[in-house]
Amino acid sequence: MVTFKDFRNNVKPNWCPGCGDFSVQAAIQRASANVGLTPENLAVVSGIGCSGRISGYINSYGFHSIHGRALPLAQGVKMANRDLTVIASGGDGDGFAIGLGHTIHAIRRNIDMTYIVMDNQIYGLTKGQTSPRSSAGFKTKSTPKGAIEPSINPMEMALTSGATFVAQGFSSDLKELTSLIEQGLNHKGFSLINVFSPCVTYNKVNTYDWFKENLVKLSDIEDYDHGNKESAMQMLMKHDGLVTGLIYHDSEQPSYQELIDGYDEKPLSHQNLNLDEDYFNHLVKEFM
Amino acid sequence: MKQQLSWKVGGQQGEGIESTGEIFSMAMNRLGYFLYGYRHFSSRIKGGHTNNKIRVSTKRVRAVEDRLDILVAFDQETIDVNYHEMGSGGIIIADAKFKPVNPDDCQAELIIVPFTEIASGLGTSLMKNMVAIGSTCAIMDLPVAVFTGVLQETFKRKGEVVVQKNMEAIEAGFRSASELLGEKRGSHKLAEADGIQRMYMIGNDAIALGAIAAGVRFMAAYPITPASEIMEYLIKKLPALGGAVIQTEDEIAAATMAIGSNYAGVRALTASAGPGLSLMMESIGLSGMTEQPLVIIDTQRGGPSTGLPTKQEQSDLMQMIYGSHGDIPKIVLAPSTAEEAFYDTIDAFNLAETYQCPVIVLSDLQLSLGKQSVDPLNYAKVQIGRGKLVSDEGELDELEPKQYFKRYELTEDGVSKRVLPGMKNGIHHVTGVEHDETGKPSESSLNRQMQMDKRMRKLEHVELHKAVDIDNAKHGEADILLIGFNSTRGALEEAQQRLEADGLKVNHAHIRLMHPFPADKLLPLMESAKKVVVAEHNATGQLASLIKMNVGMAAKIHSLKKYDGTPFLPSEVELLTKELI
């Protein structure tokens, strides 16, 4: 019986004490065990930044890639071996600044995988510059008089990009976060889970206490229907995106894999590379 | 009777110029002639002059011919832009509709045929192209029946009536032109061809077919001229093989997706041109650093920036060899013909897996889009080698609890065993950060040196069949050594023959392995030559610089550069070589 301990390795994270990313690491390990994965059948692909290190802190196949490029790399892994469970992960700079283009296209492509963003509204590893998730007025080393650009709203953006699974968690609520990741892993399609994961060193505004005061839990709202995109959008706009829980889920839409013409049920990585001689000769003849 | 001729059809883009050339050349190919085609086109959908020049010969040809024998013109611009290629004896056949005028200094004869009028009389002016093909038959004294099979295949989906109508248009064009040509009828009759069936394909077709033969089952790419045909071919063929193609949001996604797929065990491809390759540089570095196989096709076009997107150039060479920050092992191949493009694409995948590094197959627009005759490709020559990939999980020792597999184990040849995700005893970490033998990040100075040396050591023994093709270097001592890469082969070969006819001793070497540079293969040839002429399509003499860096002998190297967007003609290489020496 696989437990979350099987997803632990012997590497000590280089995150600051109190960093929200520890909870994300624990939630991934627990959710993976809870849905019955084995370490060898899980691939965690991450970007660059403090959060990007997470692929090295989970006992599974891990690929720490390029800043902003975790998503296309992870999609390539899944296309090659559809039997693997693929988690992509990174920070808000990774997914909503340098890699935003990939994020939107990964959402609309809907390949069966889970994307977990550790959102701390700041650039931590480069020691405190503004992020596309920083609120207007937020003072950092790169915005000494306060950010003048509005923040990106990733959940609303996901809904308008055709997302089939949109959820948001908070590092302080490990139970809910684990449950959301489990649901994301079980979803047949692309699941986006944004996690408020406070940076205790450089973000003195969006702290654990600040989130506790401001976050609304969707599970506390009676009759909230995560199958209704319109009400999901209204809920996000009403609370300025500060909600946690399963925001939207479309369980009907087939994943990309199910829609591609001819795509084999057997993983491409397990296939014989040799081309049948008759088929080769047929291809040659087409040019004559 | 002639052994070869050059035929060109020209008009406005979007009016069927390409398909006219296609139908003409398919019929010639089936008769067993050797063909070499080159399209002149612009970066727009409709309008603008376009032409398709096709050389037809009883012997193998690999270059655009200097001269033009028959010009089929659908507008005055076609005559004005192209007549200078024609000498006396040349024939321009032009549509009466645009009231063609022969320029005063044109040596060719202008024959005005009512292409559009005849086609309209048969039902639709769209068939004017077929009338033009029929007129060509009259000049070449070619029985129109040779087009029957090609028409049946081209128009079979549109029904027998359409096939019949088009055939009638060819016949009508033949009759009309026969009368108008007078004694010029049959003036460009070709000697009979050998009748052997060959493939007729563009370099991109050969690359795509090579990829399939190499076992590629996934491609990620972004459309770009002149690479898109590779993706389009694989989109047609991979579903039948269970595979897939994703058109990505950009070339960065294409390259990283290909890395992810290769990492997970499938042979994956991406293809692009200069601007796309610029975007892929970071991924190439990741592939080198993480030792993941990656094959990228670069179909060079005119640079820099957007440059000349539809024109010939070879100016990506230095970027392909030295691009991406930091030091990585990398292999760069440069096929010169469609046949080589096929085999080199297969080799590229074998090399990428054997050395676990990025491999770039360099093409150029002339090779990628120029259509040429190719002897049927040999299935028996397709070999697949996956290097130190662990194919049987049972070979792996059980991992100690919490320990990772040594994916980057230090070995004598620098290559370590490669495992795939899904293997229980192969779990390891991959990172673009400097790492230890298990893939865990490490900043230790000693580890850094050992891992860097390990990676770079891999390229000490890269072997490629004909890394430098010296089939045309027969002289022990030569007056001139001609050197080129990619599609300039044919122009250099013909220039060599002409210079030899003038009494010079000329060797020709064509480089196929651009990196690691095969200096040892080139050295003896250069030593035994009085002058070395390096012909290439760029403004800075990139190959010449590379040779100077790797072999030396700068004093005897002369650079022959062309960067106006058009391919070298044999006469240009011949005359410029004479001027240079």
Side-chain angles (χ1 to χ4, degrees):
Chain A
M1 179 69 184
V2 173
T3 73
F4 69 93
K5 288 181 183 166
D6 292 297
F7 292 91
R8 284 183 181 165
N9 64 13
N10 59 4
V11 184
K12 190 174 173 290
N14 63 5
W15 296 322
C16 306
C19 176
D21 294 352
F22 284 104
S23 294
V24 178
Q25 176 198 15
I28 290 174
Q29 289 163 334
R30 283 162 196 251
S32 298
N34 292 350
V35 301
L37 297 180
T38 51
E40 67 270 21
N41 290 314
L42 171 65
V44 180
V45 180
S46 60
I48 302 298
C50 293
S51 57
R53 289 294 188 120
I54 197 161
S55 58
Y57 303 152
I58 291 170
N59 187 49
S60 72
Y61 279 88
F63 201 132
H64 181 219
S65 67
I66 306 177
H67 193 30
R69 317 300 170 207
L71 278 174
L73 199 138
Q75 291 171 82
V77 173
K78 184 69 182 179
M79 287 303 295
N81 186 345
R82 62 190 301 173
D83 284 355
L84 291 175
T85 296
V86 177
I87 293 177
S89 58
D92 45 316
D94 218 63
F96 305 136
I98 191 166
L100 180 66
H102 303 309
T103 303
I104 289 179
H105 289 283
I107 289 170
R108 57 180 276 269
R109 199 168 281 132
N110 199 34
I111 288 177
D112 184 11
M113 55 184 280
T114 302
Y115 182 36
I116 300 167
V117 182
M118 285 155 267
D119 181 1
N120 58 11
Q121 290 124 309
I122 187 95
Y123 278 51
L125 193 58
T126 48
K127 303 198 189 304
Q129 297 84 13
T130 191
S131 128
R133 287 285 294 133
S134 303
S135 302
F138 187 66
K139 286 186 179 170
T140 67
K141 280 184 190 155
S142 59
T143 50
K145 297 192 172 172
I148 51 177
E149 297 166 34
S151 145
I152 275 182
N153 301 315
M155 300 290 94
E156 288 95 318
M157 180 194 77
L159 289 178
T160 59
S161 305
T164 54
F165 184 103
V166 182
Q168 198 153 250
F170 175 35
S171 287
S172 275
D173 192 343
L174 184 60
K175 195 174 159 205
E176 184 189 51
L177 182 56
T178 304
S179 161
L180 291 172
I181 295 174
E182 279 175 36
Q183 293 174 68
L185 291 171
N186 285 328
H187 172 63
K188 297 290 169 216
F190 186 85
S191 31
L192 171 63
I193 303 168
N194 191 58
V195 185
F196 295 114
S197 177
C199 174
V200 294
T201 305
Y202 290 106
N203 193 334
K204 303 298 186 192
V205 176
N206 310 106
T207 59
Y208 284 100
D209 287 341
W210 185 89
F211 281 112
K212 279 173 189 162
E213 266 173 46
N214 288 287
L215 284 177
V216 173
K217 257 180 115 157
L218 291 176
S219 56
D220 291 343
I221 297 173
E222 214 176 317
D223 298 336
Y224 179 73
D225 177 9
H226 57 63
N228 184 330
K229 197 185 275 192
E230 196 179 331
S231 60
M233 190 63 101
Q234 277 174 356
M235 187 62 70
L236 286 165
M237 294 177 95
K238 184 175 164 190
H239 297 288
D240 199 19
L242 291 168
V243 301
T244 64
L246 179 56
I247 297 167
Y248 179 70
H249 186 201
D250 175 355
S251 54
E252 301 292 315
Q253 174 64 25
S255 71
Y256 189 84
Q257 282 92 337
E258 292 167 75
L259 295 174
I260 318 172
D261 176 34
Y263 186 57
D264 210 314
E265 289 288 328
K266 185 178 159 191
L268 299 181
S269 56
H270 295 0
Q271 295 191 354
N272 180 2
L273 299 188
N274 294 305
L275 199 61
D276 173 70
E277 186 168 5
D278 289 340
Y279 188 66
F280 177 79
N281 290 333
H282 159 75
L283 294 178
V284 164
K285 271 229 153 58
E286 287 184 335
F287 290 103
M288 288 180 166
Chain B
M1 270 195 287
K2 295 171 177 252
Q3 297 301 320
Q4 66 159 349
L5 64 78
S6 267
W7 178 91
K8 183 185 277 193
V9 56
Q12 292 291 299
Q13 241 163 239
E15 65 172 351
I17 302 306
E18 207 186 323
S19 62
T20 312
E22 186 69 14
I23 287 171
F24 173 72
S25 49
M26 274 168 73
M28 294 299 108
N29 182 55
R30 290 193 186 174
L31 291 172
Y33 290 106
F34 289 90
L35 306 179
Y36 193 89
Y38 186 77
R39 276 169 59 213
H40 168 96
F41 64 110
S42 307
S43 189
R44 58 193 277 186
I45 297 169
K46 292 210 181 220
H49 175 66
T50 182
N51 69 59
N52 195 345
K53 186 174 183 179
I54 295 158
R55 187 175 184 184
V56 188
S57 171
T58 55
K59 295 192 185 67
R60 183 171 296 287
V61 281
R62 287 174 172 148
V64 178
E65 203 188 355
D66 304 319
R67 306 253 298 207
L68 181 61
D69 301 299
I70 302 170
L71 176 63
V72 180
F74 286 102
D75 60 8
Q76 186 62 38
E77 192 181 357
T78 298
I79 299 177
D80 296 344
V81 171
N82 298 291
Y83 80 89
H84 66 275
E85 292 179 21
M86 309 188 77
S88 58
I91 296 177
I92 302 170
I93 38 170
D95 192 355
K97 191 188 173 194
F98 69 86
K99 301 188 177 65
V101 177
N102 207 10
D104 290 341
D105 58 339
C106 178
Q107 296 177 47
E109 187 166 339
L110 173 67
I111 307 288
I112 301 171
V113 183
F115 295 155
T116 305
E117 194 188 318
I118 292 173
S120 299
L122 289 167
T124 166
S125 62
L126 288 174
M127 297 190 301
K128 64 185 179 183
N129 301 325
M130 297 302 137
V131 179
I133 284 178
S135 304
T136 299
C137 289
I139 303 169
M140 294 173 65
D141 192 18
L142 197 67
V144 294
V146 303
F147 287 92
T148 312
V150 176
L151 285 190
Q152 271 166 353
E153 279 162 43
T154 308
F155 297 115
K156 69 180 168 201
R157 281 206 211 115
K158 294 181 176 172
E160 192 52 41
V161 176
V162 174
V163 174
Q164 194 53 41
K165 282 276 173 205
N166 278 280
M167 202 61 219
E168 281 171 30
I170 292 184
E171 285 161 0
F174 181 84
R175 283 194 301 273
S176 174
S178 294
E179 281 172 30
L180 293 162
L181 279 161
E183 64 182 27
K184 295 275 181 183
R185 186 179 177 281
S187 59
H188 287 78
K189 188 176 170 66
L190 277 178
E192 207 168 312
D194 62 13
I196 292 173
Q197 293 300 293
R198 295 184 185 85
M199 303 171 80
Y200 181 52
M201 66 203 310
I202 59 173
N204 281 350
D205 292 330
I207 290 167
L209 187 58
I212 284 187
V216 166
R217 297 296 177 264
F218 180 66
M219 179 179 192
Y222 188 81
I224 190 168
T225 303
S228 297
E229 293 79 9
I230 300 168
M231 169 168 72
E232 288 161 9
Y233 183 82
L234 290 175
I235 286 169
K236 275 188 234 155
K237 300 300 178 193
L238 282 185
L241 297 165
V245 176
I246 291 185
Q247 180 179 322
T248 52
E249 54 271 27
D250 55 33
E251 290 90 344
I252 296 173
T256 41
M257 217 178 262
I259 291 174
S261 284
N262 279 297
Y263 158 73
V266 74
R267 283 190 161 184
L269 173 74
T270 189
S272 191
L277 263 293
S278 291
L279 289 182
M280 292 180 186
M281 282 301 141
E282 198 181 18
S283 307
I284 291 170
L286 179 74
S287 158
M289 180 57 150
T290 60
E291 306 194 43
Q292 302 301 332
L294 173 66
V295 174
I296 300 176
I297 312 294
D298 175 27
T299 60
Q300 299 173 92
R301 66 185 209 184
S305 188
T306 306
L308 291 170
T310 61
K311 302 287 181 278
Q312 163 69 357
E313 205 163 279
Q314 301 177 319
S315 53
D316 294 354
L317 179 60
M318 285 299 192
Q319 196 202 11
M320 290 312 101
I321 294 174
Y322 296 109
S324 199
H325 56 278
D327 301 314
I328 55 163
K330 189 200 280 174
I331 297 169
V332 182
L333 308 178
S336 68
T337 62
E339 189 179 16
E340 285 186 5
F342 171 80
Y343 293 113
D344 284 3
T345 303
I346 299 167
D347 276 343
F349 280 94
N350 292 339
L351 291 167
E353 289 207 290
T354 301
Y355 297 102
Q356 302 174 7
C357 72
V359 179
I360 293 166
V361 180
L362 202 55
S363 176
D364 57 25
L365 187 135
Q366 186 183 350
L367 170 60
S368 273
L369 299 186
K371 218 160 175 177
Q372 52 186 286
S373 302
V374 178
D375 286 323
L377 299 163
N378 189 350
Y379 180 80
K381 275 173 73 179
V382 177
Q383 301 291 335
I384 289 171
R386 307 197 72 179
K388 292 190 186 175
L389 175 68
V390 175
S391 54
D392 177 10
E393 229 190 308
E395 289 171 34
L396 297 172
D397 296 332
E398 194 158 330
L399 289 178
E400 296 290 321
K402 310 288 176 198
Q403 291 304 308
Y404 276 0
F405 174 77
K406 286 188 177 174
R407 172 65 182 87
Y408 303 103
E409 188 171 25
L410 297 168
T411 57
E412 203 174 321
D413 62 3
V415 185
S416 323
K417 275 188 186 169
R418 184 170 149 244
V419 291
L420 301 179
M423 293 181 176
K424 188 160 187 275
N425 292 307
I427 290 181
H428 65 276
H429 190 237
V430 176
T431 174
V433 173
E434 188 57 273
H435 43 265
D436 67 14
E437 288 184 297
T438 64
K440 288 178 187 161
S442 165
E443 290 182 351
S444 135
S445 303
L446 179 63
N447 175 75
R448 158 65 170 192
Q449 267 186 319
M450 291 194 303
Q451 284 290 332
M452 180 62 84
D453 291 345
K454 161 207 181 334
R455 289 190 293 269
M456 300 315 288
R457 195 156 66 227
K458 294 194 289 188
L459 291 194
E460 281 169 12
H461 306 289
V462 174
E463 285 290 333
L464 185 77
H465 176 62
K466 288 194 174 169
V468 178
D469 190 332
I470 51 170
D471 286 356
N472 295 324
K474 307 284 190 213
H475 302 289
E477 300 283 324
D479 298 312
I480 302 162
L481 169 64
L482 285 173
I483 301 178
F485 71 111
N486 276 144
S487 68
T488 55
R489 167 191 284 269
L492 297 191
E493 280 174 352
E494 290 186 39
Q496 179 192 25
Q497 288 159 14
R498 295 179 195 185
L499 292 164
E500 294 249 328
D502 282 353
L504 290 162
K505 283 186 182 164
V506 183
N507 279 336
H508 166 214
H510 223 69
I511 304 177
R512 192 166 173 183
L513 176 63
M514 308 310 299
H515 187 77
F517 196 79
D520 56 327
K521 304 268 192 314
L522 214 49
L523 181 70
L525 285 175
M526 287 178 63
E527 277 176 338
S528 62
K530 288 190 188 119
K531 308 260 182 185
V532 175
V533 174
V534 181
E536 54 190 315
H537 285 292
N538 59 63
T540 51
Q542 297 184 20
L543 178 58
S545 298
L546 202 59
I547 296 171
K548 288 173 195 169
M549 277 168 65
N550 286 285
V551 189
M553 295 185 243
K556 64 161 109 166
I557 294 176
H558 300 260
S559 212
L560 205 168
K561 299 170 289 200
K562 190 180 189 200
Y563 41 92
D564 66 356
T566 63
F568 273 119
L569 297 170
S571 61
E572 290 173 331
V573 178
E574 178 198 0
L575 295 174
L576 290 167
T577 300
K578 280 180 179 165
E579 271 175 32
L580 277 177
I581 56 171

